[in-house]
Amino acid sequence: AVFPNPAGDETNISFTLHNNADVKLSVLDITGREVAVINASRLDAGAHQFPLSFSQVNAKGTYFVRLEVNGMQMVKTVVF
């Protein structure tokens, strides 16, 4: 989940892992260019939450938050 969305100065990205997993959490701009990597590590099973601040994307607009877990992807939209 991405909340609040639309975001002000900061939003939060939360997800739950059922098993320990290699996770990459990144932010893409509207053209698909990666503008930030929030996390790239092995995480334990359970609930996780990461902040995403406006300073990490550096421009107002629409972005895609991509969660990659063991080769599978999920994408959510966030607006700053």
Side-chain angles (χ1 to χ4, degrees):
V2 179
F3 60 92
N5 192 9
D9 291 336
E10 186 172 279
T11 190
N12 293 288
I13 302 155
S14 63
F15 57 91
T16 300
L17 297 175
H18 298 291
N19 300 300
N20 298 353
D22 293 321
V23 173
K24 182 176 181 186
L25 184 60
S26 56
V27 181
L28 311 173
D29 68 13
I30 198 76
T31 68
R33 183 178 60 94
E34 188 174 86
V35 295
V37 175
I38 300 168
N39 180 77
S41 66
R42 186 155 186 84
L43 297 177
D44 292 335
H48 299 273
Q49 182 171 308
F50 293 90
L52 171 63
S53 68
F54 176 74
S55 64
Q56 289 172 277
V57 295
N58 212 23
K60 293 215 177 270
T62 300
Y63 293 88
F64 301 103
V65 176
R66 179 173 60 193
L67 176 64
E68 297 174 76
V69 179
N70 293 336
M72 297 182 0
Q73 293 185 41
M74 184 173 78
V75 177
K76 296 280 187 179
T77 304
V78 63
V79 178
F80 274 98

